[in-house]
Amino acid sequence: MPEPTHHPVSTPPSPWMRPLRQRAPGLVLTLVLALAAAWLAQQPWVARWGLSALTLAIVGGIVLGNTVYPALQTRCGMGVDYAKQRLLRLGIILFGLRITLQQMGQVGWSGVLIDVIMLTSTFGLAVWLGRWLRIDGQTAILIGAGSSICGAAAVLATEPVLQARGDKVAVAVATVMVFGTLGMFGYPLLHPWLASLGAGDAAYGVYVGSTVHEVAQVVGAGRAVSETAADHAVITKMIRVMLLAPFLLALSWAVARRGVRVGARAPVVAPITASGPTADASARSRITIPWFALGFVLVALLNSLPLLPAAPRAMLLALDNLLLAMAMGALGLSTHASAIRRAGSRPLALAALLFVWLVLGGGLVNALLGHWGR
């Protein structure tokens, strides 16, 4: 009898390999965008404008998203969404490696108080002015977060709590870029006048760190005066960054209290639901905990202890820059220019009014609490 023929049986891909293959094209695309933005941000002619890799990544993403990406979206969509959601949260957690509790002591409690006052006043003003300008609540909150805390990174961190659409996030990031860049070049021009009021380089640095949008822009505005100004500016800015976590927790609580309905896509963190007598009461008591914000705090606490060697920390910081740039690139790919045009001039007007408050109101708060001329 002839021996039976055995045909090779193809092994189906494992459960974890299938989503990896589906996400790979989009992840590679966002990775290329992030690396290109990082390289461009290091070029001297770009660095002079204080444009970070995050800002350049979203700009590049928007350009591709409105030209060649629609033809690739079917294949790359899953990976782009993964970068926009999961990689973003990991990037925010690692962002805690940029600050330590020891930095707070270098500017004193007056510097911390100035940061708290500027954050709460700027964000509260954004919400109030947003209603006056008839801007939708999510856009006003995103612009307020970016203006009051740490620019594009704060906008990105606020998006999961609100589950806002990509075009609203892109509008908020654009306003941060415009007025943050204006501040980076404008603040050094104010330094001679501030010095005549008794604000030394250290006080000027606290003023810059408590009012300028992006970290890169803070560095530029500080170094334009002196290294002392730059050091105090960066430390004050990092304290503002540390306030991001309690801000997100408070925002999540406020959203739940008002019964705001989230977007159609699935929540990225598990909701805590308290039972109530009615469906409306249950909706108002549902709080979405931004776990990545708690991770951010834990990483900052870990960074405050002499446990992490310099080399691994530097590698993690580089990874964080890459993850955040990939998330920004993914956001840009998902943003249509028509949606930004539909937003109109009102978001820009809101950001302009907040910028005026940061410059004038921030100067007054710093003068009162920063001991200028004493």
Coordinates of all heavy atoms in Angstrom, one line a residue, residues 242-329:
M242 N 4.7 69.3 37.3 CA 4.3 68.4 38.4 C 2.8 68.6 38.8 O 2.1 67.7 39.2 CB 5.2 68.6 39.6 CG 4.9 67.7 40.8 SD 6.0 67.9 42.1 CE 7.4 67.1 41.4
L243 N 2.3 69.8 38.6 CA 0.9 70.1 38.9 C -0.1 69.5 37.9 O -1.3 69.6 38.1 CB 0.7 71.7 38.9 CG 1.4 72.4 40.1 CD1 1.2 73.9 39.9 CD2 0.9 71.9 41.4
L244 N 0.5 68.9 36.8 CA -0.4 68.3 35.8 C -1.2 67.2 36.4 O -2.4 67.0 36.0 CB 0.5 67.8 34.6 CG -0.2 67.0 33.5 CD1 -1.2 67.9 32.8 CD2 0.9 66.5 32.5
A245 N -0.6 66.4 37.2 CA -1.3 65.2 37.8 C -2.5 65.6 38.6 O -3.7 65.1 38.4 CB -0.4 64.3 38.6
P246 N -2.4 66.5 39.6 CA -3.6 66.9 40.4 C -4.6 67.6 39.5 O -5.8 67.5 39.7 CB -3.0 67.8 41.5 CG -1.7 68.2 41.1 CD -1.2 67.0 40.3
F247 N -4.1 68.3 38.5 CA -5.0 69.0 37.6 C -5.9 68.0 36.9 O -7.1 68.2 36.7 CB -4.3 69.9 36.6 CG -5.1 70.3 35.4 CD1 -5.9 71.4 35.5 CD2 -5.0 69.6 34.2 CE1 -6.7 71.8 34.4 CE2 -5.8 70.0 33.1 CZ -6.6 71.1 33.2
L248 N -5.3 66.9 36.4 CA -6.1 65.9 35.6 C -7.1 65.2 36.5 O -8.2 64.9 36.1 CB -5.1 64.9 35.0 CG -4.2 65.4 33.9 CD1 -3.2 64.3 33.4 CD2 -5.0 65.9 32.7
L249 N -6.7 64.9 37.8 CA -7.6 64.3 38.7 C -8.8 65.2 39.0 O -9.9 64.8 39.0 CB -6.9 63.9 40.0 CG -5.8 62.8 39.9 CD1 -5.0 62.7 41.2 CD2 -6.5 61.5 39.6
A250 N -8.5 66.5 39.2 CA -9.6 67.5 39.5 C -10.5 67.6 38.3 O -11.7 67.7 38.4 CB -9.0 68.8 39.9
L251 N -9.9 67.6 37.1 CA -10.7 67.7 35.9 C -11.6 66.5 35.7 O -12.8 66.7 35.3 CB -9.7 67.9 34.6 CG -10.4 68.0 33.3 CD1 -11.3 69.2 33.2 CD2 -9.4 68.0 32.2
S252 N -11.0 65.3 35.9 CA -11.9 64.1 35.8 C -13.0 64.2 36.8 O -14.2 63.8 36.4 CB -11.0 62.9 36.1 OG -11.8 61.7 36.0
W253 N -12.8 64.7 38.0 CA -13.9 64.8 39.0 C -14.9 65.8 38.5 O -16.1 65.6 38.6 CB -13.3 65.2 40.3 CG -14.3 65.5 41.4 CD1 -14.9 64.5 42.2 CD2 -14.8 66.7 41.8 NE1 -15.8 65.2 43.0 CE2 -15.8 66.5 42.8 CE3 -14.6 68.0 41.3 CZ2 -16.5 67.5 43.4 CZ3 -15.3 69.1 41.9 CH2 -16.2 68.8 43.0
A254 N -14.5 66.9 38.0 CA -15.4 68.0 37.5 C -16.2 67.5 36.3 O -17.4 67.8 36.3 CB -14.6 69.2 37.1
V255 N -15.6 66.8 35.4 CA -16.3 66.2 34.3 C -17.4 65.3 34.7 O -18.5 65.3 34.3 CB -15.3 65.5 33.3 CG1 -16.1 64.7 32.3 CG2 -14.5 66.5 32.6
A256 N -17.1 64.4 35.7 CA -18.1 63.5 36.2 C -19.2 64.2 37.0 O -20.3 63.8 36.9 CB -17.4 62.5 37.2
R257 N -18.9 65.2 37.7 CA -19.9 66.0 38.5 C -20.9 66.6 37.5 O -22.1 66.7 37.8 CB -19.2 67.1 39.3 CG -18.5 66.5 40.5 CD -19.4 66.3 41.7 NE -20.0 67.6 42.1 CZ -20.9 67.7 43.1 NH1 -21.4 66.6 43.7 NH2 -21.4 68.8 43.5
R258 N -20.4 67.1 36.4 CA -21.3 67.8 35.4 C -22.0 66.8 34.5 O -22.8 67.2 33.7 CB -20.5 68.8 34.6 CG -20.0 70.0 35.4 CD -19.2 70.9 34.6 NE -18.8 72.1 35.4 CZ -19.5 73.2 35.6 NH1 -20.7 73.3 35.0 NH2 -19.0 74.2 36.3
G259 N -21.7 65.5 34.6 CA -22.4 64.5 33.8 C -22.0 64.6 32.3 O -22.9 64.4 31.5
V260 N -20.8 65.1 32.0 CA -20.4 65.3 30.6 C -20.3 63.9 29.9 O -19.7 63.0 30.4 CB -19.1 66.0 30.5 CG1 -18.6 66.1 29.1 CG2 -19.2 67.4 31.2
R261 N -21.0 63.8 28.8 CA -20.9 62.6 28.0 C -19.6 62.5 27.2 O -19.3 63.4 26.5 CB -22.1 62.5 27.1 CG -22.3 61.1 26.4 CD -23.5 61.2 25.5 NE -24.7 61.4 26.2 CZ -25.4 60.5 26.8 NH1 -25.0 59.2 26.8 NH2 -26.5 60.8 27.4
V262 N -18.9 61.4 27.4 CA -17.7 61.2 26.7 C -17.9 60.8 25.2 O -19.1 60.6 24.8 CB -16.8 60.1 27.3 CG1 -16.4 60.5 28.7 CG2 -17.5 58.8 27.3
G263 N -16.9 60.8 24.4 CA -17.0 60.5 23.0 C -17.4 59.1 22.7 O -17.6 58.2 23.6
A264 N -17.5 58.8 21.5 CA -18.0 57.4 21.1 C -17.0 56.3 21.3 O -17.3 55.2 21.5 CB -18.4 57.5 19.6
R265 N -15.7 56.7 21.2 CA -14.7 55.6 21.3 C -14.6 55.2 22.8 O -14.9 55.9 23.7 CB -13.3 56.1 20.8 CG -12.8 57.3 21.5 CD -11.5 57.8 20.7 NE -11.0 59.1 21.1 CZ -10.2 59.2 22.1 NH1 -9.7 58.1 22.8 NH2 -9.7 60.4 22.4
A266 N -14.1 54.0 23.0 CA -14.0 53.4 24.3 C -13.1 54.1 25.2 O -12.1 54.6 24.8 CB -13.6 51.9 24.2
P267 N -13.5 54.2 26.5 CA -12.6 54.8 27.5 C -11.3 54.1 27.7 O -11.3 52.8 27.6 CB -13.4 54.9 28.8 CG -14.4 53.8 28.6 CD -14.7 53.7 27.1
V268 N -10.2 54.8 27.9 CA -8.9 54.1 28.0 C -8.6 53.7 29.5 O -7.6 53.1 29.7 CB -7.8 55.1 27.5 CG1 -8.0 55.4 26.1 CG2 -7.8 56.4 28.3
V269 N -9.4 54.2 30.4 CA -9.2 53.8 31.8 C -10.6 53.3 32.4 O -11.6 53.8 31.9 CB -8.7 55.0 32.7 CG1 -7.3 55.3 32.3 CG2 -9.6 56.2 32.5
A270 N -10.5 52.5 33.3 CA -11.7 51.9 33.9 C -12.5 52.9 34.7 O -11.9 53.5 35.6 CB -11.4 50.7 34.7
P271 N -13.8 53.1 34.4 CA -14.6 54.0 35.2 C -15.0 53.4 36.5 O -15.2 52.2 36.6 CB -15.8 54.3 34.3 CG -16.0 53.1 33.5 CD -14.6 52.5 33.3
I272 N -15.1 54.3 37.6 CA -15.6 53.9 38.8 C -17.0 54.4 38.9 O -17.2 55.6 38.9 CB -14.7 54.5 40.0 CG1 -13.3 53.9 39.9 CG2 -15.4 54.2 41.3 CD1 -12.4 54.4 41.0
T273 N -18.0 53.5 39.0 CA -19.4 53.9 38.9 C -20.0 53.7 40.3 O -20.0 52.6 40.8 CB -20.1 53.1 37.9 OG1 -19.4 53.2 36.6 CG2 -21.5 53.6 37.7
A274 N -20.6 54.8 40.8 CA -21.4 54.6 42.0 C -22.8 54.5 41.7 O -23.4 55.2 40.9 CB -21.2 55.9 42.9
S275 N -23.5 53.5 42.3 CA -24.9 53.3 42.0 C -25.7 54.4 42.5 O -25.5 55.0 43.5 CB -25.4 52.0 42.6 OG -25.2 52.0 44.0
G276 N -26.8 54.8 41.8 CA -27.6 55.8 42.2 C -29.1 55.5 41.9 O -29.4 54.6 41.2
P277 N -30.0 56.3 42.3 CA -31.4 56.0 42.1 C -31.9 56.2 40.7 O -32.8 55.6 40.3 CB -32.1 57.0 43.1 CG -31.1 58.2 43.2 CD -29.8 57.5 43.2
T278 N -31.1 57.0 39.9 CA -31.5 57.2 38.5 C -30.3 57.1 37.7 O -29.2 57.2 38.1 CB -32.1 58.6 38.4 OG1 -31.1 59.6 38.6 CG2 -33.3 58.9 39.3
A279 N -30.6 57.0 36.3 CA -29.5 56.9 35.4 C -28.7 58.2 35.4 O -27.5 58.2 35.2 CB -30.0 56.6 34.0
D280 N -29.3 59.3 35.5 CA -28.6 60.6 35.5 C -27.7 60.7 36.6 O -26.6 61.2 36.5 CB -29.6 61.8 35.5 CG -30.4 61.9 34.1 OD1 -29.9 61.3 33.2 OD2 -31.5 62.5 34.1
A281 N -28.2 60.3 37.8 CA -27.3 60.4 39.0 C -26.1 59.5 38.9 O -25.0 59.9 39.3 CB -28.1 60.1 40.2
S282 N -26.4 58.4 38.3 CA -25.2 57.5 38.0 C -24.2 58.1 37.1 O -23.0 57.9 37.3 CB -25.7 56.1 37.5 OG -24.7 55.2 37.2
A283 N -24.7 58.7 36.0 CA -23.8 59.3 35.1 C -23.0 60.4 35.7 O -21.8 60.6 35.4 CB -24.6 59.9 33.9
R284 N -23.6 61.2 36.6 CA -22.9 62.3 37.2 C -21.8 61.8 38.2 O -20.9 62.5 38.5 CB -23.8 63.2 38.0 CG -24.6 64.1 37.0 CD -25.3 65.2 37.8 NE -26.3 64.7 38.7 CZ -27.6 64.5 38.4 NH1 -28.0 64.8 37.2 NH2 -28.4 64.0 39.2
S285 N -22.0 60.5 38.8 CA -21.1 60.0 39.8 C -20.0 59.2 39.2 O -19.2 58.6 39.9 CB -21.9 59.2 40.8 OG -22.5 58.1 40.2
R286 N -20.0 59.0 37.8 CA -19.0 58.2 37.2 C -17.8 59.0 37.0 O -17.8 60.0 36.4 CB -19.5 57.7 35.9 CG -18.6 56.7 35.2 CD -19.2 56.2 33.8 NE -20.4 55.5 34.0 CZ -21.6 55.9 33.6 NH1 -21.7 57.1 33.0 NH2 -22.7 55.2 33.8
I287 N -16.7 58.5 37.6 CA -15.4 59.2 37.6 C -14.4 58.4 36.8 O -14.2 57.2 37.1 CB -14.9 59.5 39.0 CG1 -15.9 60.4 39.8 CG2 -13.5 60.2 38.9 CD1 -15.4 60.7 41.2
T288 N -13.8 59.0 35.8 CA -12.8 58.3 35.0 C -11.5 58.7 35.6 O -11.0 59.8 35.5 CB -12.9 58.7 33.5 OG1 -14.1 58.4 33.0 CG2 -11.8 58.0 32.7
I289 N -10.8 57.7 36.2 CA -9.5 58.0 36.8 C -8.4 57.9 35.8 O -8.2 56.9 35.1 CB -9.2 57.0 37.9 CG1 -10.3 57.1 39.0 CG2 -7.8 57.2 38.5 CD1 -10.1 56.1 40.2
P290 N -7.7 59.0 35.6 CA -6.5 59.0 34.7 C -5.3 58.3 35.3 O -4.5 59.0 35.9 CB -6.3 60.5 34.4 CG -6.8 61.2 35.6 CD -7.9 60.3 36.2
W291 N -5.3 57.0 35.2 CA -4.2 56.2 35.9 C -2.8 56.7 35.4 O -1.9 56.6 36.2 CB -4.4 54.8 35.6 CG -5.6 54.2 36.2 CD1 -6.8 53.8 35.6 CD2 -5.9 54.0 37.6 NE1 -7.7 53.3 36.4 CE2 -7.2 53.4 37.7 CE3 -5.2 54.2 38.8 CZ2 -7.8 53.1 38.9 CZ3 -5.8 53.9 40.0 CH2 -7.1 53.4 40.1
F292 N -2.7 57.1 34.2 CA -1.4 57.6 33.8 C -0.9 58.8 34.5 O 0.3 59.0 34.7 CB -1.4 57.8 32.2 CG -2.3 59.0 31.9 CD1 -1.9 60.3 31.7 CD2 -3.7 58.7 31.6 CE1 -2.7 61.3 31.4 CE2 -4.5 59.8 31.2 CZ -4.0 61.1 31.1
A293 N -1.8 59.6 35.0 CA -1.4 60.8 35.9 C -0.8 60.3 37.2 O 0.1 60.9 37.7 CB -2.6 61.7 36.1
L294 N -1.4 59.2 37.8 CA -0.9 58.7 39.0 C 0.5 58.1 38.7 O 1.4 58.2 39.5 CB -1.8 57.7 39.6 CG -3.2 58.2 39.9 CD1 -4.0 57.0 40.5 CD2 -3.1 59.3 40.9
G295 N 0.6 57.4 37.6 CA 1.9 56.9 37.2 C 3.0 58.0 37.0 O 4.1 57.8 37.4
F296 N 2.5 59.1 36.5 CA 3.4 60.3 36.3 C 4.0 60.7 37.7 O 5.2 61.0 37.9 CB 2.6 61.4 35.7 CG 3.2 62.8 35.7 CD1 4.1 63.1 34.7 CD2 2.9 63.7 36.7 CE1 4.7 64.4 34.7 CE2 3.5 64.9 36.7 CZ 4.4 65.3 35.7
V297 N 3.1 60.8 38.7 CA 3.5 61.2 40.1 C 4.5 60.2 40.6 O 5.5 60.5 41.2 CB 2.3 61.3 41.0 CG1 2.7 61.6 42.4 CG2 1.4 62.5 40.5
L298 N 4.2 58.9 40.5 CA 5.1 57.8 41.0 C 6.5 57.9 40.4 O 7.5 57.7 41.1 CB 4.4 56.5 40.8 CG 3.2 56.2 41.6 CD1 2.6 54.8 41.2 CD2 3.5 56.2 43.1
V299 N 6.5 58.1 39.1 CA 7.8 58.2 38.4 C 8.6 59.5 38.9 O 9.8 59.4 39.1 CB 7.6 58.3 36.9 CG1 8.9 58.6 36.2 CG2 7.1 56.9 36.4
A300 N 7.9 60.6 39.1 CA 8.5 61.8 39.6 C 9.1 61.5 41.0 O 10.2 62.0 41.4 CB 7.5 63.0 39.7
L301 N 8.3 60.8 41.9 CA 8.8 60.5 43.2 C 10.0 59.6 43.1 O 11.0 59.8 43.9 CB 7.7 59.8 44.0 CG 6.5 60.7 44.4 CD1 5.4 59.8 45.1 CD2 6.9 61.8 45.3
L302 N 10.0 58.6 42.2 CA 11.1 57.7 42.0 C 12.3 58.5 41.5 O 13.5 58.3 42.0 CB 10.8 56.6 41.0 CG 11.9 55.7 40.6 CD1 12.4 54.9 41.8 CD2 11.5 54.8 39.4
N303 N 12.1 59.5 40.7 CA 13.2 60.3 40.1 C 13.8 61.2 41.2 O 14.9 61.7 41.1 CB 12.7 61.2 39.0 CG 13.8 61.8 38.2 OD1 14.8 61.2 37.9 ND2 13.6 63.1 37.9
S304 N 13.0 61.5 42.3 CA 13.5 62.3 43.4 C 14.5 61.5 44.3 O 15.2 62.1 45.1 CB 12.3 62.8 44.2 OG 11.5 63.6 43.4
L305 N 14.5 60.2 44.2 CA 15.4 59.4 45.0 C 16.6 59.0 44.3 O 16.6 58.8 43.0 CB 14.6 58.1 45.5 CG 13.3 58.3 46.2 CD1 12.6 57.0 46.5 CD2 13.6 59.0 47.6
P306 N 17.7 58.9 44.9 CA 19.0 58.5 44.2 C 19.1 57.1 43.9 O 20.0 56.4 44.3 CB 20.1 59.0 45.2 CG 19.4 58.8 46.5 CD 18.0 59.1 46.3
L307 N 18.1 56.6 43.1 CA 18.0 55.2 42.8 C 18.3 54.9 41.3 O 18.9 53.8 41.0 CB 16.7 54.6 43.2 CG 16.3 54.7 44.6 CD1 14.8 54.2 44.8 CD2 17.2 53.9 45.5
L308 N 17.9 55.8 40.5 CA 18.0 55.5 39.0 C 19.4 56.1 38.5 O 19.6 57.3 38.5 CB 16.9 56.2 38.3 CG 16.7 55.8 36.8 CD1 16.4 54.3 36.7 CD2 15.5 56.6 36.2
P309 N 20.2 55.2 38.0 CA 21.5 55.7 37.4 C 21.3 56.7 36.2 O 20.2 56.7 35.6 CB 22.2 54.4 37.0 CG 21.5 53.3 37.7 CD 20.1 53.8 37.9
A310 N 22.3 57.5 36.0 CA 22.2 58.5 35.0 C 22.0 57.9 33.6 O 21.1 58.5 32.8 CB 23.4 59.4 35.0
A311 N 22.7 56.9 33.2 CA 22.6 56.3 31.9 C 21.2 55.8 31.6 O 20.6 56.1 30.5 CB 23.6 55.3 31.7
P312 N 20.6 54.9 32.4 CA 19.2 54.5 32.2 C 18.2 55.6 32.1 O 17.3 55.6 31.4 CB 18.9 53.5 33.3 CG 20.3 53.0 33.8 CD 21.2 54.2 33.6
R313 N 18.4 56.6 33.0 CA 17.5 57.7 33.0 C 17.5 58.5 31.7 O 16.5 58.9 31.2 CB 17.8 58.7 34.2 CG 16.9 59.9 34.3 CD 17.3 60.7 35.5 NE 16.4 61.9 35.6 CZ 16.7 63.0 34.9 NH1 17.8 63.1 34.2 NH2 15.9 64.1 35.0
A314 N 18.8 58.7 31.2 CA 18.9 59.4 29.9 C 18.2 58.6 28.8 O 17.6 59.2 27.9 CB 20.4 59.6 29.6
M315 N 18.3 57.3 28.8 CA 17.7 56.4 27.8 C 16.2 56.5 27.9 O 15.5 56.6 26.9 CB 18.2 55.0 28.0 CG 19.6 54.8 27.6 SD 20.1 53.0 27.9 CE 19.1 52.2 26.8
L316 N 15.6 56.5 29.1 CA 14.2 56.6 29.3 C 13.7 58.0 28.9 O 12.6 58.1 28.3 CB 13.8 56.4 30.8 CG 14.0 54.9 31.2 CD1 13.8 54.8 32.8 CD2 13.0 54.0 30.5
L317 N 14.5 59.1 29.1 CA 14.1 60.4 28.7 C 14.0 60.4 27.1 O 13.1 61.1 26.6 CB 15.0 61.4 29.2 CG 14.8 61.8 30.7 CD1 16.0 62.7 31.1 CD2 13.5 62.5 30.9
A318 N 15.0 59.8 26.5 CA 15.0 59.8 25.0 C 13.8 59.0 24.5 O 13.2 59.4 23.5 CB 16.3 59.2 24.5
L319 N 13.5 57.9 25.2 CA 12.3 57.1 24.8 C 11.0 57.9 25.0 O 10.1 57.9 24.2 CB 12.2 55.8 25.7 CG 11.0 55.0 25.5 CD1 10.9 54.4 24.1 CD2 11.0 53.8 26.5
D320 N 11.0 58.7 26.1 CA 9.8 59.5 26.4 C 9.6 60.6 25.2 O 8.5 60.8 24.8 CB 10.0 60.2 27.7 CG 8.8 61.1 28.0 OD1 7.6 60.6 27.9 OD2 9.0 62.3 28.4
N321 N 10.7 61.2 24.8 CA 10.6 62.2 23.7 C 10.1 61.5 22.5 O 9.3 62.1 21.8 CB 12.0 62.8 23.5 CG 12.4 63.7 24.6 OD1 11.6 64.3 25.2 ND2 13.7 63.8 24.8
L322 N 10.6 60.3 22.2 CA 10.1 59.6 21.0 C 8.7 59.2 21.1 O 7.9 59.4 20.1 CB 11.0 58.3 20.9 CG 10.7 57.4 19.6 CD1 11.1 58.2 18.4 CD2 11.6 56.2 19.7
L323 N 8.2 58.7 22.3 CA 6.8 58.3 22.4 C 5.9 59.4 22.2 O 4.8 59.3 21.5 CB 6.6 57.6 23.8 CG 7.3 56.2 24.0 CD1 7.1 55.8 25.4 CD2 6.8 55.2 23.0
L324 N 6.2 60.6 22.9 CA 5.3 61.7 22.8 C 5.3 62.3 21.3 O 4.3 62.7 20.8 CB 5.8 62.8 23.7 CG 5.6 62.5 25.2 CD1 6.1 63.6 26.1 CD2 4.1 62.3 25.5
A325 N 6.5 62.3 20.7 CA 6.5 62.7 19.3 C 5.7 61.8 18.4 O 5.0 62.2 17.4 CB 8.0 62.8 18.8
M326 N 5.8 60.5 18.6 CA 4.9 59.5 17.8 C 3.5 59.8 18.1 O 2.7 59.8 17.1 CB 5.3 58.1 18.2 CG 6.7 57.6 17.8 SD 7.1 55.9 18.3 CE 5.8 55.0 17.4
A327 N 3.1 60.1 19.3 CA 1.7 60.4 19.6 C 1.2 61.7 18.9 O 0.1 61.7 18.4 CB 1.5 60.5 21.1
M328 N 2.1 62.7 18.9 CA 1.8 63.9 18.2 C 1.7 63.7 16.7 O 0.8 64.3 16.0 CB 2.8 65.0 18.5 CG 2.8 65.5 20.0 SD 1.3 66.4 20.4 CE 1.8 68.0 19.8
G329 N 2.6 62.9 16.2 CA 2.5 62.6 14.7 C 1.2 61.9 14.4 O 0.6 62.2 13.4

